[in-house]
Amino acid sequence: MVDYESVLIKHRFKFKKALGQNFIYDEELLDEIAVAGGADGATVVEIGAGSGSLSRMIAARAKKLDSFEIDETLFPVLEETLSGLDNVQLFSNNVLELGIETVDMLIGEPYVVIANLPYYITTPLLFLFLKSELCGSITCLVQKEVAERICAKDGGDFGALSASVQAVASPRIVRIVKSWDFDPQPDVDSALIRIDRKNDAVFSDALDKFFKDCFAQKRKTLVNNLTAVGMNKQEISDALRELGFSQTARAEELGADGLMRLGKALGAV
Ligand code: SAM
């Protein structure tokens, strides 16, 4: 067993709140995350190696782990905590700057993402991997309320984020993880979610924009929100009628599938 906290202290590591550094050391919980993400025999991509605690548990099960960590002060720590593992490759790049084509090229084969995400970039990271041609699923810890929004089918929580994820994937909450399981302890609880890509469904900038436009003002009708961004009112009315939706429907009434069909009918996605 590796004593991650002692190794961090030995290397005089200072936690950086701005990088979303909330580490986990509980090996039972970490292994549960690795199993939930389907690490067994898989090629796994991890965002944010931290002290290497989750990386080790994933590597013990995976065929190969490619882990990204932008805080280079963690590299001496990781050299120690990940020593002896020959199926782990560490990258110091920011995946958001690399872009998904380059990430996919680096990995070079179908993979799954498993991560205790840095929360300040949860949404851009999810959208990035939903655009991948090679990523089959994303299993990650996110703030509990973000997980609830991602998985909401209707009601107040259902919004552009829910529609975006659900249009191309099936998300579910695996379990809640309490704030005291992290070090340092964040203000809110988290949830482990697993997002499985639907076959051949790839997220795009056009989808992102269309869903944001649909929900621009939640209380307004779709007709109002979409005409506000220059779409033709008659075309929107016709498309809603043909799809069997009311002329006064709001975005949340259509659900992710309905919005996707509307976007296609309007040639927007
Ligand atoms: N996996 C570790 C664990 O579970 O204990 C650390 C998780 S911590 C919530 C998130 C990690 O992501 C931090 O180590 C942070 O430095 C790193 N990070 C933040 N922004 C990143 C980025 N853009 N690319 C890669 N890693 C990043």
Side-chain angles (χ1 to χ4, degrees), residues 22-226:
N22 299 97
F23 294 177
I24 298 178
Y25 310 116
D26 176 344
E27 295 205 326
E28 214 168 294
L29 172 58
L30 292 165
D31 193 47
E32 204 182 320
I33 297 169
V35 171
D40 284 290
T43 295
V44 181
V45 171
E46 181 190 23
I47 310 304
S51 70
S53 56
L54 179 57
S55 322
R56 265 199 92 86
M57 297 314 264
I58 296 170
R61 294 180 172 275
K63 178 176 95 174
K64 171 173 163 246
L65 170 66
D66 291 311
S67 188
F68 290 84
E69 174 53 65
I70 50 166
D71 184 351
E72 294 195 2
T73 69
L74 282 165
F75 278 61
V77 173
L78 289 163
E79 204 168 295
E80 199 167 326
T81 59
L82 300 180
S83 75
L85 297 173
D86 55 11
N87 61 343
V88 180
Q89 199 171 358
L90 206 57
F91 296 91
S92 60
N93 312 77
N94 181 339
V95 283
L96 290 176
E97 282 167 12
L98 280 184
I100 197 61
E101 287 85 5
T102 311
V103 174
D104 280 2
M105 220 168 58
L106 277 175
I107 311 303
E109 57 186 353
Y111 62 87
V112 297
V113 170
I114 304 179
N116 172 12
L117 286 184
Y119 289 172
Y120 73 108
I121 44 172
T122 298
T123 309
L125 282 174
L126 291 180
F127 284 3
L128 182 89
F129 285 102
L130 289 174
K131 285 178 186 158
S132 160
E133 303 271 344
L134 295 177
C135 173
S137 67
I138 307 167
T139 302
C140 57
L141 282 161
V142 300
Q143 286 180 337
K144 183 167 160 270
E145 59 153 44
V146 175
E148 285 164 355
R149 279 198 278 133
I150 289 172
C151 298
K153 294 281 181 202
D154 47 36
D157 277 349
F158 184 82
L161 178 61
S162 340
S164 298
V165 176
Q166 290 169 31
V168 296
S170 309
R172 68 183 170 90
I173 293 181
V174 178
R175 61 163 285 181
I176 301 302
V177 177
K178 302 302 283 184
S179 61
W180 57 71
D181 279 312
F182 297 82
D183 178 41
Q185 188 173 330
D187 296 332
V188 291
D189 289 339
S190 295
L192 179 65
I193 54 169
R194 177 163 167 149
I195 300 172
D196 283 280
R197 297 284 297 278
K198 290 178 183 165
N199 283 343
D200 297 331
V202 177
F203 193 60
S204 64
D205 290 337
L207 265 181
D208 188 13
K209 179 179 182 319
F210 178 67
F211 290 139
K212 281 191 182 129
D213 290 342
C214 288
F215 285 95
Q217 297 208 41
K218 264 196 121 175
R219 292 222 193 99
K220 284 198 173 176
T221 63
L222 274 164
V223 173
N224 281 338
N225 275 332
L226 294 177

Side-chain angles (χ1 to χ4, degrees), residues 212-263:
K212 281 191 182 129
D213 290 342
C214 288
F215 285 95
Q217 297 208 41
K218 264 196 121 175
R219 292 222 193 99
K220 284 198 173 176
T221 63
L222 274 164
V223 173
N224 281 338
N225 275 332
L226 294 177
T227 48
V229 291
M231 287 194 185
N232 182 289
K233 189 170 182 178
Q234 191 58 51
E235 284 177 19
I236 305 166
S237 293
D238 292 347
L240 283 170
R241 188 177 320 103
E242 277 160 31
L243 293 170
F245 297 117
S246 143
Q247 295 297 307
T248 56
R250 293 186 177 79
E252 69 261 27
E253 293 168 46
L254 270 66
D257 287 347
L259 289 173
M260 185 80 164
R261 283 190 286 142
L262 178 67

